[in-house]
Amino acid sequence: LIVRVRCKEGTKRVNIALDSTYADLLSATVSTFAADGVPLPPPESLALFRDHTRHERITDLGRTLAADRVTRGHMFGLCVEGELSSKQLSKQAAPSKPFPNPVPVRSTREDDSALPSSQKPNRRNMTLSELLKMRIEVHNQKDPENVAGVKIDLQAGQAFGNYVQNQTAYSVPRIGILFGRPSDEDDSVEVHAIFEPAQSCVDGKLVLLNESELERFTHLVSAFKLSCVGVIISHTSDCKVEATAHELSLAASRQPSPSSPFALLLLHATPEGPKVEAYELSQDFVRLYERKLIITDEEVAKRPISKWEKREKGVQFVQFADEIYFDLDYRWSLPVECFLVPISLVFIKTAFETRFPIENRVLHPTPTDLREHLEAFNDRSFASRLRDYHLLFYLSSTIGLETVLEMSERILQDGPIEEGHQLLINMLAES
């Protein structure tokens, strides 16, 4: 079981057995922080809380996590004894009790975010029921809603990871768009291809270029019953945060609809090697993004830092255009971790290969690459040799998208490719 533990020194993932006690969790947390060069006081000097808001302390350290039905990805709070104020201590509940089920994400407030300030309702003149009706509520979502996990094609994942590690050396962030379909076996999604759009990095933030290429790739893979199911973002080697608000917004901008299965994969460089983590964006974040309540850094610069940001130094925050109601309080910002729901990640083998040179890298595919690819798999049928989405994308820019779409069904069924289409492709390879 992997849980998250958060304190002022940062947030760490701790691997712990479900039948372990909270005392074991404290010891494992100290060891995890120490392994990353962050020393903590001994476990007996630490206070553990039921969630990261640190309102309810866990006093029975001999109780097991299983007894409280702790689930994967749950975030605990941690601090040194005596660090909390008397006001915070008064909110703590002494007896342990099972962790509550996730609260459904709901908001009864009418959308007035697009109204000019002169037309927005005056809260000072409202009754309590009117205030409650317009309140924007955000909850700490513990379980995934639309996607329980990601099954990613091993070759596709390795092609993206190897390029980031060996060619860019984690010097700049990079994004790939995941294309796949819902799994027939469970509530996960299968990733069959990763499209790497033309992109740049401005002030450490990813900016996508040439949307027409992405539209063409989307049209191409739709013939093979694939659609956008997520994004993968690699961090630079000096990045110390789990994710940024900009990355969450960038991912939300690619989600086809709020209810569609969609995953966010984050690739980190660690001393032990590359590490990929999979998340679902919480339903609250998607809702806030759709209502344009997530504000940009330029807008943030015009607003004073909230008390929450002052207290949680080094933590990435999502900023809002209006106050939201979270944890019995109104806030203008929340940590990024509040909107990430951990999901599973496994590697699989799909019917297509990822061997042809990938688009929008330093070296662009050429007819020579096409000829070498066809020769390397000369023992296969012609349709089988075309089973590479990046090769098909290259062909769509040379012999035409409509021509490639005409061949899609025969490629899927490994049927005979029409002689005219074979001639076109062979002529291109020899040009």
Side-chain angles (χ1 to χ4, degrees), residues 291-340:
R291 294 177 56 180
K292 297 180 172 56
L293 290 174
I294 309 296
I295 63 177
T296 63
D297 284 352
E298 290 74 16
E299 295 169 310
V300 171
K302 301 175 184 178
R303 176 180 299 156
I305 299 176
S306 69
K307 62 179 181 179
W308 308 107
E309 294 171 82
K310 291 178 181 178
R311 189 180 70 182
E312 304 287 352
K313 294 181 179 179
V315 175
Q316 286 286 316
F317 278 79
V318 177
Q319 305 275 351
F320 311 115
D322 202 349
E323 286 183 306
I324 58 96
Y325 188 74
F326 177 83
D327 190 31
L328 307 178
D329 202 355
Y330 285 95
R331 303 189 185 187
W332 287 98
S333 60
L334 278 177
V336 165
E337 288 99 344
C338 293
F339 299 107
L340 293 175

Side-chain angles (χ1 to χ4, degrees), residues 341-363:
V341 185
I343 57 178
S344 64
L345 173 67
V346 297
F347 291 95
I348 60 172
K349 178 71 176 74
T350 62
F352 276 55
E353 305 275 355
T354 305
R355 299 184 184 275
F356 192 75
I358 293 175
E359 60 287 335
N360 295 314
R361 292 185 173 179
V362 176
L363 299 177

Side-chain angles (χ1 to χ4, degrees), residues 384-399:
S384 179
R385 282 185 279 173
L386 299 182
R387 283 191 170 187
D388 188 311
Y389 292 111
H390 302 285
L391 182 151
L392 294 176
F393 182 72
Y394 171 69
L395 291 178
S396 72
S397 65
T398 51
I399 65 175

Side-chain angles (χ1 to χ4, degrees), residues 155-168 170 194 196 232 234 267 274 276 361:
Q155 282 189 358
Q158 287 178 335
F160 183 87
N162 290 341
Y163 180 76
V164 169
Q165 182 176 7
N166 301 327
Q167 301 299 319
T168 71
Y170 297 100
I194 302 178
E196 299 179 25
I232 180 170
S234 69
L267 174 60
V276 184
R361 292 185 173 179

Side-chain angles (χ1 to χ4, degrees), residues 27-38:
S27 298
T29 300
V30 172
S31 300
T32 301
F33 272 86
D36 288 341
V38 182

